Amino acid sequence: MSQVLDAMFEKLVKEGEHVIDQGDDGDNFYVIDRGTFDIYVKCDGVGRCVGNYDNRGSFGELALMYNTPRAATITATSPGALWGLVSEILL
């Protein structure tokens, strides 16, 4: 447990900031501390909002678990804070 906590880092985000982008390689898993975020998935060249997070939740695990590109883009819709976990600790 202490190794996991030691591997986490705080990431402050601004409104409009992309936390992860669809198609990128996965590097971190994120846990939301505070803030709101939209989930966008691009299909046929068009990005659509398919959901959101409101001050709770986590994301980024799929690319790490399956060694695939990011499945969605996560954009901050308010200032917020995330706790990131580097992928090396998950392996």
Side-chain angles (χ1 to χ4, degrees):
M1 179 69 115
S2 64
Q3 284 181 321
V4 171
L5 293 176
D6 289 343
M8 295 188 87
F9 61 93
E10 186 177 30
K11 178 177 175 61
L12 301 177
V13 295
K14 299 176 183 174
E15 183 176 350
E17 183 176 341
H18 287 210
V19 180
I20 62 174
D21 288 299
Q22 184 175 351
D24 285 356
D25 290 335
D27 53 357
N28 301 313
F29 168 68
Y30 295 98
V31 178
I32 298 169
D33 184 13
R34 64 183 180 278
T36 55
F37 302 83
D38 281 345
I39 308 160
Y40 290 92
V41 174
K42 191 178 285 189
C43 186
D44 297 327
V46 177
R48 295 187 180 186
C49 184
V50 296
N52 56 53
Y53 296 104
D54 189 359
N55 290 296
R56 64 180 179 183
S58 59
F59 55 87
E61 74 283 357
L62 294 177
L64 302 176
M65 289 172 43
Y66 300 111
N67 196 28
T68 59
R70 296 288 192 191
T73 296
I74 307 293
T75 304
T77 56
S78 72
L82 303 163
W83 287 95
L85 181 61
V86 294
S87 61
E88 288 81 23
I89 194 72
L90 300 172
L91 301 175

